[in-house]
Amino acid sequence: MSYEYVVLKEISKKFAGGVKALDKVTIEIRTGEVLALLGENGAGKSTLVKILYGVYSADEGTIYINEKRVDISSPAEAIRHGIVMVSQHPQLIDTLSVAENLALGLKAFNAFTSIKKVSKFISEKSGKFGVKIDPWEKVWRLTYTQKQLVEMIRAMLLNARVVLLDEALTYLPLEEKRKFYKFIKEFTAKGGSAVIITHKIPEALEAADRIAILRRGRLVGIIEGGSARIDDVRKMMFGESAAEITYGKLQASQPGEEAVIETQDLWITGDFGENAVRGVSLRVREGEVVGIAGIVGNGQRELTQALAGLRKVSRGRILIGGRDVTNRGVRVVREMGVGYIPDSPLAFGISIDNSMTENIAALYQRKSMLVNWSEVREVASSLIEAYKIMIPDAGSLIKVLSGGNIMKVIVSKEINYCRRALIAHNPTRALDEVSAIMVRKSIKERAISDGVAVLLVSEDLDEIYQVSDSIYVMNSGKLYGPFPPDEAERSNVEHLMVI
Amino acid sequence: MRFIVVRRTKPHPYIKPLIIALSLITGMGLVAILLTLIGAHPFAILVTIAYSFTTPQVVKDMLLLTMLGCALLISFKGAVWNVGAEGQLYTAIIPIVWITLYVAPWSAGSPPHQPILIILASITAAAVFGAMWGAVAGALRAYVGIDEVPVTLIMNYVAYYVVNILVLGPFRGRYVYGYIRTDDLPDAYKLGINVVMQRTGNAFLDGFLEFIRVVVYYAYWVLAAALVALLTWVVFNHTTIGLRIKILGSNPEFLRAVGVDVRKTTVMALALSGLLVGVASAIYYLGDLTRLTYPIQAQTAGYGYLAILVVWLSMLELPLIPLSAYIVSSLRNAGRNMQIFGLGGLESTLVLLGSVLLTYSALRFLTEYEVRVVK
Ligand SMILES: Nc1ncnc2c1ncn2[C@@H]1O[C@H](COP(=O)(O)OP(=O)(O)O)[C@@H](O)[C@H]1O
Ligand SMILES: [Mg+2]
């Protein structure tokens, strides 16, 4: 029998700047269920799970666990109640082994203390999952999927009764995502509960028993997974804007003749001395959008970083606008009018302890000794309007924004900055559907109307197909293609991604 | 009932000054208790401390520490820890001594506009020397990868050493018998306005007039401190380098990704910091110190080190620098006064500073966290 293990009652939360992130939200989490939490960027999803996990405290409202009123003032306390969160970013220590990492986390909770038992548990669980993990492997050697799996195993080790997945599956390749959902189902079948936050509605419909929809801090409704229709869900999430969602191919570009971004037999060394990129040659012409598909961790990050000038190339050449910029550093590339949406947006894309205007100024104001703030503010307010960024005002610190809105600031300032070329690595990650489509359209718009050459690297095949004029596949540091999108069968492309 | 600590989601508008005030009161209480335990009279201690906050002696220290605090703030904001203000302070005095005593010594026949030119030249030269002294540490950190904290610290001793050699040798005074020090700065180059106040016989009124006299004497310093603070504000709010330094302090990777030379920014942060130390140094030498005495490490008032406390106490907030400069100078003054009034030795100064700063470090977490009571 399922019963209500956790009840969140009339939870309200207001942030600085008067943002009402949650307004009297009442939700129960039942044993044995997968509950999907949906809503557009900034709807309050993360805030809600963070309150349950003890990261934030609610202004009003109460939390009941097993019908008893509780105060959860820290993650440690949440874990004691059997509530564990897995976020997008693995929280593991790179230089320790998997088993060491997990044993470390457990010490505090006196669950398993023997590292032997921990390692046995890891082998067992990962074996069952279908992605083998050697417990003695150092964490830096793991793929992203393996790391997220380790996070899940950690939750199991902690005897979690409720796992909170805040976009934890967002960056996983489709195939492995499915395995995760299976894993989660097994967990709930034994009486556990899972709360999943995702921007992929079809996934939520498939995996969830119930779907709770938040909009601007309010609970719009809870529907049964089986009976839900995608269009209804979208309406509830986005209201009128739901009509803007489309996955149809965007208008094709008329590329010029000249190659704006060109690489010749590029070899790049990865962080751990391996050959991350192996002999990549590609051309992106004026006004053309070239998409690179592939599963995360196949050299895409190293490639885009090298193109932006952030990473040294060990062999080969990079030409931008015909000029050799190989190993010339970031400044040269940036001054040629190249926008860069990085793969690690919070490291290379923005400084969250500064304001939106300061972040824009750092990129745009490069010539004179004095900052022209009125110019910067103009750019900021036009971006806020065009991209519907939810921000108290342009002078607010970035760290007060929700994940999706931070991403919008990063992406919009780069799309607007580029004059000649744009290197976009997963530009719509963490964005809801409406925002993602808007971003794709504006990227395409810059290509078509201003002749910007765009290199789009994405793990999202829908995105690649929707925007690209030409498609490559990257696998183990090598590039396959180009293929024209109309002729490239999706199944073939997917096959190239995993061979 | 139970206390729980939760992370603040809304910053409290006055939390920073509140914490500073609270640590001050707690620290004073602690000292009073401690010294009472060893036999002093608690009332006398509190009165002495309170009195020390209002005496004219704090004016000079506060102004100087405000300038030095601003100077250090420039590097601290960039997470570049310049602990070398002390060395920069004395290095910057070297060209002043040279200019005022050897290049253009004052004589009865000198033209009337000479003092103003010499004063301006001294300030400029001091700024350049301070900046160079800072830039050396910056370059070592940026291009050789040596941490700036030990470097700037060691360079303080190098500066003492260099100054000592100069005072023993080429700068040794010609008119000072029996002392090893430089000749006095010529009166014409002194930066200060002397007014003579008539005594009225009324203790309260006289105290007030003395205060006025001191403030008038340091009028140039007030002006200089205001200019330095304004300059610091302009650097952070209106210049690209100031913006870059701030981002260097919060996310250097982003700075690199927009194509800014992170190393150059590091060097600039330390050079600018040293430059402002140099300016403060010139004001200090021309208005108060007026000569260098051997050995300098025994003569120094340690302003370069106190300035670190000032910035730390201000939580890196420019508007709070004058306030924390005032507090640090008053506490220092209080320690001195307690010694004078026989309420304790040098250790009482240290205990006083220590207990205030300890409480302060304990309470600082309140900027990020709040304590709530649950039933
Ligand atoms: N620490 C914070 N300080 C101020 N505002 C915040 C903070 N965290 C979130 N917000 C605001 O609260 C709202 C909800 O954010 P969040 O819960 O992160 O949304 P999402 O549904 O995208 O996860 C957003 O408008 C966001 O700007
Ligand atoms: Mg979120």
Side-chain angles (χ1 to χ4, degrees):
Chain A
M1 265 312 290
S2 83
Y3 67 100
E4 294 162 357
Y5 180 65
V6 176
V7 178
L8 293 151
K9 189 138 195 238
E10 307 217 319
I11 302 281
S12 297
K13 177 80 188 171
K14 209 170 174 175
F15 282 114
V19 180
K20 194 134 199 195
L22 293 172
D23 187 5
K24 296 212 160 94
V25 171
T26 299
I27 283 185
E28 76 274 19
I29 302 168
R30 299 175 185 161
T31 56
E33 80 168 338
V34 176
L35 175 68
L37 201 52
L38 301 185
E40 59 186 349
N41 292 130
K45 307 175 298 287
S46 294
T47 306
L48 189 67
V49 293
K50 279 180 184 164
I51 286 174
L52 183 55
Y53 194 51
V55 179
Y56 294 148
S57 68
D59 296 340
E60 282 165 43
T62 29
I63 302 176
Y64 298 91
I65 291 183
N66 269 336
E67 295 180 347
K68 270 211 291 292
R69 187 179 163 160
V70 293
D71 285 300
I72 302 180
S73 55
S74 68
E77 204 141 332
I79 292 171
R80 258 177 247 129
H81 288 295
I83 298 167
V84 182
M85 178 144 95
V86 180
S87 73
Q88 303 171 7
H89 314 288
Q91 314 280 318
L92 305 167
I93 302 166
D94 269 343
T95 47
L96 295 184
S97 74
V98 176
E100 282 164 344
N101 258 285
L102 295 196
L104 206 68
L106 295 174
K107 274 260 162 58
F109 299 97
N110 282 328
F112 287 72
T113 34
S114 128
I115 199 155
K116 280 233 179 75
K117 281 191 202 161
V118 170
S119 83
K120 200 164 146 240
F121 191 86
I122 296 169
S123 309
E124 224 174 82
K125 283 282 170 189
S126 64
K128 225 164 154 194
F129 183 89
V131 174
K132 263 263 178 228
I133 296 178
D134 173 3
W136 303 109
E137 188 84 272
K138 292 271 190 288
V139 163
W140 64 261
R141 289 181 169 277
L142 302 186
T143 63
Y144 179 78
T145 307
Q146 285 174 319
K147 284 187 199 171
Q148 287 298 69
L149 178 58
V150 171
E151 293 277 355
M152 283 294 286
I153 293 174
R154 188 214 295 270
M156 307 291 109
L157 268 171
L158 287 166
N159 290 320
R161 306 203 42 183
V162 180
V163 285
L164 309 171
L165 299 163
D166 189 355
E167 298 189 34
L169 309 182
T170 302
Y171 304 137
L172 294 177
L174 203 63
E175 194 47 45
E176 323 220 293
K177 236 186 211 177
R178 289 205 181 101
K179 287 184 189 159
F180 262 93
Y181 280 118
K182 218 178 110 213
F183 196 75
I184 291 165
K185 282 279 186 203
E186 273 168 30
F187 170 66
T188 55
K190 288 187 201 137
S193 329
V195 178
I196 300 178
I197 296 177
T198 170
H199 290 297
K200 302 275 173 199
I201 303 170
E203 263 169 43
L205 294 184
E206 201 182 303
D209 300 301
R210 292 190 308 146
I211 297 169
I213 293 152
L214 284 177
R215 180 140 201 253
R216 298 188 183 146
R218 294 191 179 202
L219 185 70
V220 191
I222 299 186
I223 45 184
E224 298 296 322
S227 66
R229 284 189 40 233
I230 195 160
D231 288 337
D232 299 337
V233 174
R234 282 185 176 142
K235 265 254 173 53
M236 288 169 84
M237 284 171 68
F238 300 107
E240 292 304 308
S241 329
E244 293 162 26
I245 298 170
T246 157
Y247 283 92
K249 191 161 169 42
L250 300 178
Q251 186 194 343
S253 309
Q254 296 294 324
E257 277 310 307
E258 296 293 305
V260 178
I261 307 173
E262 189 174 357
T263 72
Q264 296 166 357
D265 188 31
L266 212 54
W267 289 72
I268 304 166
T269 310
D271 288 342
F272 302 105
E274 76 284 13
N275 275 326
V277 172
R278 304 191 289 165
V280 162
S281 301
L282 60 79
R283 276 166 59 93
V284 186
R285 291 171 295 170
E286 201 179 270
E288 183 182 32
V289 180
V290 167
I292 297 185
I295 292 169
V296 66
N298 276 287
Q300 300 98 314
R301 189 170 67 97
E302 289 79 2
L303 176 64
T304 50
Q305 285 183 350
L307 287 171
L310 279 168
R311 186 181 279 272
K312 282 248 179 310
V313 165
S314 48
R315 220 167 88 193
R317 297 207 305 162
I318 299 174
L319 302 150
I320 306 259
R323 185 169 155 205
D324 190 336
V325 297
T326 322
N327 294 338
R328 293 285 309 278
V330 192
R331 191 174 56 87
V332 174
V333 175
R334 287 299 215 167
E335 279 175 2
M336 293 181 78
V338 177
Y340 172 52
I341 300 168
D343 173 50
S344 331
L346 293 183
F348 294 111
I350 204 148
S351 171
I352 61 169
D353 290 315
N354 292 90
S355 65
M356 175 169 178
T357 40
E358 286 174 331
N359 273 282
I360 291 174
L363 176 62
Y364 287 59
Q365 301 279 311
R366 31 198 341 130
K367 290 276 173 288
S368 108
M369 265 180 49
L370 293 179
V371 179
N372 183 343
W373 285 114
S374 67
E375 210 175 279
V376 173
R377 272 191 295 270
E378 232 166 78
V379 173
S381 53
S382 75
L383 297 181
I384 290 171
E385 200 185 306
Y387 289 81
K388 300 197 179 75
I389 299 170
M390 281 194 245
I391 182 168
D393 65 82
S396 312
L397 295 187
I398 296 295
K399 67 175 167 201
V400 311
L401 306 187
S402 73
N405 281 298
I406 294 177
M407 195 62 196
K408 282 189 192 176
V409 174
I410 298 171
V411 168
S412 64
K413 78 173 178 354
E414 298 294 337
I415 294 179
N416 186 63
Y417 175 77
C418 65
R419 294 187 307 280
R420 201 189 282 249
L422 176 68
I423 298 150
H425 199 151
N426 285 331
T428 65
R429 63 165 47 173
L431 294 183
D432 62 46
E433 284 183 294
V434 170
S435 312
I437 283 154
M438 174 179 70
V439 163
R440 287 177 203 144
K441 280 184 177 158
S442 57
I443 289 176
K444 195 85 202 208
E445 168 72 24
R446 291 301 315 267
I448 294 176
S449 345
D450 306 316
V452 172
V454 180
L455 184 70
L456 169 72
V457 177
S458 178
E459 276 118 45
D460 181 343
L461 257 191
D462 289 332
E463 175 160 276
I464 293 282
Y465 270 95
Q466 187 169 24
V467 193
S468 310
D469 299 306
S470 158
I471 297 177
Y472 287 91
V473 176
M474 193 156 186
N475 188 347
S476 307
K478 290 207 175 107
L479 211 56
Y480 301 88
F483 312 107
D486 313 326
E487 291 162 32
E489 281 287 340
R490 232 182 131 109
S491 55
N492 293 343
V493 168
E494 276 179 8
H495 179 70
L496 277 175
M497 284 161 65
V498 295
I499 49 164
Chain B
M1 201 176 83
R2 210 156 60 90
F3 293 98
I4 57 169
V5 177
V6 293
R7 214 186 168 86
R8 269 181 210 283
T9 40
K10 274 187 257 233
H12 188 288
Y14 306 116
I15 192 71
K16 291 181 178 177
L18 265 176
I19 290 176
I20 294 178
L22 206 60
S23 348
L24 204 58
I25 293 165
T26 328
M28 280 163 45
L30 265 174
V31 165
I33 293 169
L34 275 171
L35 293 186
T36 308
L37 288 179
I38 57 167
H41 198 290
F43 187 70
I45 294 163
L46 290 179
V47 167
T48 308
I49 297 176
Y51 163 77
S52 308
F53 271 78
T54 58
T55 53
Q57 284 92 315
V58 299
V59 172
K60 177 184 88 182
D61 287 4
M62 175 194 164
L63 292 170
L64 185 57
L65 286 178
T66 299
M67 289 186 259
L68 292 174
C70 289
L72 293 194
L73 185 70
I74 291 198
S75 89
F76 284 18
K77 279 263 187 199
V80 180
W81 309 104
N82 179 12
V83 293
E86 182 76 6
Q88 290 145 20
L89 190 77
Y90 285 105
T91 315
I93 291 177
I94 296 172
I96 308 182
V97 173
W98 184 61
I99 292 173
T100 54
L101 293 181
Y102 300 96
V103 178
W106 178 254
S107 67
S110 304
H113 61 265
Q114 184 167 317
I116 178 81
L117 291 181
I118 291 306
I119 289 172
L120 289 177
S122 298
I123 297 176
T124 314
V128 170
F129 266 61
M132 285 183 343
W133 204 247
V136 169
L140 284 174
R141 141 109 183 232
Y143 296 98
V144 189
I146 309 175
D147 194 69
E148 76 282 7
V149 175
V151 169
T152 47
L153 199 62
I154 289 167
M155 284 178 72
N156 289 340
Y157 293 94
V158 177
Y160 287 155
Y161 189 72
V162 171
V163 168
N164 281 338
I165 289 183
L166 289 172
V167 175
L168 281 170
F171 281 177
R172 182 152 185 176
R174 287 158 291 187
Y175 311 108
V176 285
Y177 304 102
Y179 296 103
I180 305 173
R181 66 179 196 215
T182 63
D183 283 327
D184 238 13
L185 178 75
D187 279 340
Y189 300 153
K190 282 189 182 151
L191 209 51
I193 303 169
N194 278 304
V195 287
V196 182
M197 294 278 179
Q198 288 293 329
R199 295 204 141 258
T200 63
N202 177 327
F204 182 78
L205 203 58
D206 278 345
F208 181 71
L209 288 176
E210 170 64 10
F211 209 94
I212 299 288
R213 192 190 67 77
V214 172
V215 173
V216 171
Y217 180 83
Y218 289 113
Y220 289 120
W221 293 41
V222 176
L223 189 70
L227 279 176
V228 166
L230 180 71
L231 197 70
T232 311
W233 181 83
V234 169
V235 165
F236 282 130
N237 292 286
H238 289 283
T239 65
T240 22
I241 182 66
L243 174 69
R244 288 170 181 181
I245 290 173
K246 279 199 277 186
I247 294 176
L248 177 70
S250 40
N251 184 1
E253 288 186 315
F254 174 61
L255 197 61
R256 191 156 91 86
V258 296
V260 170
D261 189 331
V262 173
R263 295 171 173 181
K264 219 188 267 169
T265 311
T266 309
V267 176
M268 281 297 287
L270 275 163
L272 275 176
S273 185
L275 183 141
L276 286 189
V277 173
V279 171
S281 177
I283 307 292
Y284 173 48
Y285 185 79
L286 298 173
D288 188 64
L289 193 61
T290 69
R291 65 184 178 218
L292 293 172
T293 307
Y294 174 86
I296 196 71
Q297 59 270 37
Q299 308 292 324
T300 173
Y303 288 116
Y305 296 111
L306 286 174
I308 302 169
L309 283 185
V310 169
V311 189
W312 183 58
L313 195 64
S314 76
M315 304 188 204
L316 272 57
E317 295 281 353
L318 180 58
L320 293 181
I321 293 258
L323 173 68
S324 69
Y326 170 62
I327 291 171
V328 170
S329 1
S330 302
L331 289 176
R332 185 160 172 273
N333 191 25
R336 244 178 344 218
N337 286 334
M338 283 199 287
Q339 283 178 51
I340 294 171
F341 300 150
L343 293 167
L346 175 66
E347 68 282 359
S348 58
T349 315
L350 300 177
V351 170
L352 179 60
L353 267 174
S355 22
V356 171
L357 296 173
L358 203 68
T359 343
Y360 172 74
S361 1
L363 290 178
R364 244 179 105 129
F365 85 102
L366 289 174
T367 53
E368 297 263 334
Y369 297 88
E370 59 188 311
V371 179
R372 289 195 190 175
V373 184
V374 290
K375 288 155 291 264

